[in-house]
Amino acid sequence: MTDLIPFNDDYDSNNSGNAEFAELFNKKITRRDLITKTAGGAAALTLAASVSGCSDDDNNENTTPPVAPDQESTLKFSAVDKNIKNEFTVPEGYDARVLFALGDPIAPNMAEWNDTKIPLGASFTLRSGECHDGMTFFGMASNKFSANTSNTGLLVMNHEYINDQKILHAAINTINDEIRSEDESLREINCHGVSVIAVDKNPTTQSVTVNKDSFLNRRITAATPMDIRGPVKGSVLLHNRLSPEGTFSFGTINNCGNGYTPWGTYLTTEENFNQYFSRDDAKQSANKKVSLSRYKIPNNSNYKWHTVVATEDSISTDIKNHGKVSKDNVQDLYERWLVKATDGVAKDDFRHSDNTFGWIVEIDPFNGTERPVKRTALGRFAHEDCRASRAIAGQPLAFYMGDDSQGEYIYKFISDAKWDPTDVNKGYSAGDKYMDKGRLYVAKFQFDEATQKATGEWMELNISNPLISGYSKYVFADQADVLVNARLAADALGATKMDRPEWVAVNPHNGEVYVTLTNNSSRTAETTDAANPRSYIDQKAGKDQNGNVNGHIIRFREEGDTVTANKFVWDIFLFGAQALNDAGQQNPENLSKLNQNNDFSSPDGMWFDPRGVLWIQTDDGALTDQTNCMMLAALPGTTGDGTIETSTTGKKTPAGLSLSDTKLRRFLTGPSGCEITGVTMTPDYKAIFVNVQHPGGVWPSNQANNVSGGIGTRPRSATVVITRKDGGEIAGEGLVEKKATN
């Protein structure tokens, strides 16, 4: 990236509907004007939280979803070949359009992204963030969630992290300086979080556009005010100088996977939040030091946000008390990124600021007036995903989650409340009902070689368990402490260490749960087990790659098909692998017998559409000398439908039925350097949305059908919408409706 000039001090903006920003949106303003009139500097980070209102579109079009596909169903779209091009490739007969990329404005008359005129950091409260990730489409009718509406809706997506800080800033910057500039830090902080954007789909052409005029468009960033609810609310482990009583916090960060609730809200997950903090252990307790190490809080963060010095321009409206603030209070929004204790009590410092992240956050896309909510009953760890069980009237809900780090665990939360369909569209009050009271469990996987039975158990994380209350490595004070330090509680129970549990998918027709285990370079032959049975050497460009290089997908079925069960059965649905090794011979690690139309590596994103088609996405570094990351479609069977396989380490494991490429097929490949992540679809199945994260080269400026208005050639993460040229259902060519039974 060369020949770049500093960002432009001027940009045009126009009112998106909120009266208090009328002056800002109706005149050309300077850099100082932008900072002071958009709630100012650090306080401006919370601008998007106040954008709300009603849509003018009352489209009540409805679509009745088709029934589950029959076993005779096949995948008939043309499989996309593996390739390493800097382009996004879809099957013949399909179109792909770049819809929404880094820096794109979500309000009318704002200047488009321009490589040579980098927008101000404060403006990213009204622009797309970076590293698009998990995503959900919410159909909308009469300004409310409508599960069967396809032509008008809200697309809600995560922005995980900053892959390359140089993409965001001018050529001369403070990335490597000891003290970061405020504007650059604002840009980075605001580029994290979530986007809510209104989209319209043409019912004839199926083309999708962003409606920048919608009052519901907003950004939720790493400093947006958040309520804290559930068992940990008010715990001393959340006390800090910004929230002395531990009842609210600022921001959501490293939002990777996602989920959605039966009542119509979005769940965003806080994954590797640790990387944003630095730590000073000088006055920390021994217990706290154990927690900091277990959650991998580093000594020094590369972001260095805690070094920012707040300017006079930062002083504006008090986001806590709605009054004037001092420069010192604004400074706290930066200093909280340093985990440090003083001689006082917790409410006087930021010894526990790290504890305010690592949660599931609920966002009501249709309600911009109430704060998003951190749901503490679901535990604190590196949340990769959160998927609800099937919503069955009169039965509890379960939420399944993975902790994405080597050797971490799979969790389940069961609500005390039983599902009532009348709670649809009740927003955060429904969340209070189903997500604040319940029980949190961690999984243990077992395999009996004598009987060849694969079973598992759910172990509750509860302070009443003597294994937890008497744990020798950490002293738990109460149940709130168990939830804040869920990893340590799971350690105490002896949960099964997995190969990076990432996304979760729930089969809508039988309730079976699928979890991607992306890979694990630390897995050795000695530490393999039936649930993580592979450790091997795989070569890439003449260099050895070790461990579970290509990853796998595990699945399980609850005993009695009830989410309250303490037992389950399981198998490994698919093993990632290259079909042939570099010598053209069958790969001995290819236990799922993949071929050139469906071989893959490092499964990551994953989602079942309501028809029962499973979409699998990859985040790979092992096979990228032969192919870019991809998305595949699968028509899976059921747990236990395969045979017992033996890995090259000698571990026996239950494997799912091998799928031909009529049941598992590559649907797309992304541009070079990217991860394919985030997938959702309109309820009529005629538009599917996919995110491209951290692409290389100059993508998407070189992509045909790029409707993003950005100018320049820096690579930008983006959302792509895919439709069929004949207007038909995505991957619907070979699906057969399930036959009625008497």
Side-chain angles (χ1 to χ4, degrees), residues 549-581:
V549 178
N550 302 120
H552 56 284
I553 301 174
I554 200 166
R555 65 180 169 185
F556 51 86
R557 188 164 193 159
E558 300 277 23
E559 186 176 69
D561 290 333
T562 60
V563 299
T564 56
N566 290 324
K567 304 287 185 181
F568 57 88
V569 295
W570 63 272
D571 68 8
I572 295 179
F573 169 57
L574 284 175
F575 289 93
Q578 181 182 352
L580 302 174
N581 63 26

Side-chain angles (χ1 to χ4, degrees), residues 6 89 319 456 710 728:
T89 309
I319 47 187

Side-chain angles (χ1 to χ4, degrees), residues 514-726:
Y514 291 61
V515 183
T516 53
L517 302 173
T518 294
N519 54 51
N520 186 354
S521 60
S522 297
R523 182 68 68 178
T524 64
E526 293 74 23
T527 61
T528 55
D529 54 40
N532 307 272
R534 293 189 302 172
S535 178
Y536 50 98
I537 297 174
D538 183 80
Q539 283 205 334
K540 176 184 176 183
K543 295 183 179 180
D544 288 348
Q545 301 174 104
N546 300 287
N548 179 9
V549 178
N550 302 120
H552 56 284
I553 301 174
I554 200 166
R555 65 180 169 185
F556 51 86
R557 188 164 193 159
E558 300 277 23
E559 186 176 69
D561 290 333
T562 60
V563 299
T564 56
N566 290 324
K567 304 287 185 181
F568 57 88
V569 295
W570 63 272
D571 68 8
I572 295 179
F573 169 57
L574 284 175
F575 289 93
Q578 181 182 352
L580 302 174
N581 63 26
D582 292 337
Q585 302 167 328
Q586 189 57 238
N587 188 339
E589 298 298 339
N590 184 13
L591 301 181
S592 294
K593 302 176 178 61
L594 305 177
N595 62 42
Q596 294 294 331
N597 288 332
N598 58 24
D599 57 343
F600 68 93
S601 176
S602 296
D604 191 333
M606 184 172 57
W607 176 66
F608 268 105
D609 71 38
R611 299 171 299 182
V613 179
L614 180 62
W615 299 93
I616 303 166
Q617 302 173 312
T618 67
D619 179 16
D620 182 39
L623 198 55
T624 47
D625 56 337
Q626 298 186 30
T627 183
N628 299 336
C629 287
M630 64 185 70
M631 185 169 78
L632 306 97
L635 299 174
T638 59
T639 301
D641 61 8
T643 58
I644 303 299
E645 297 286 347
T646 304
S647 73
T648 54
T649 65
K651 284 290 184 296
K652 294 186 181 298
T653 189
L657 180 68
S658 296
L659 302 179
S660 70
D661 57 26
T662 65
K663 299 287 187 180
L664 174 68
R665 183 171 290 197
R666 189 176 302 108
F667 181 73
L668 63 83
T669 58
S672 54
C674 83
E675 169 188 350
I676 295 295
T677 182
V679 54
T680 190
M681 193 181 289
T682 54
D684 61 5
Y685 308 111
K686 293 186 176 180
I688 188 169
F689 303 87
V690 174
N691 281 329
V692 175
Q693 187 180 104
H694 60 72
V698 298
W699 194 91
S701 64
N702 64 334
Q703 182 74 36
N705 293 328
N706 181 0
V707 298
S708 165
I711 301 168
T713 58
R714 295 190 189 191
R716 296 190 293 151
S717 298
T719 301
V720 177
V721 58
I722 304 162
T723 56
R724 270 174 58 175
K725 292 180 179 179
D726 64 5

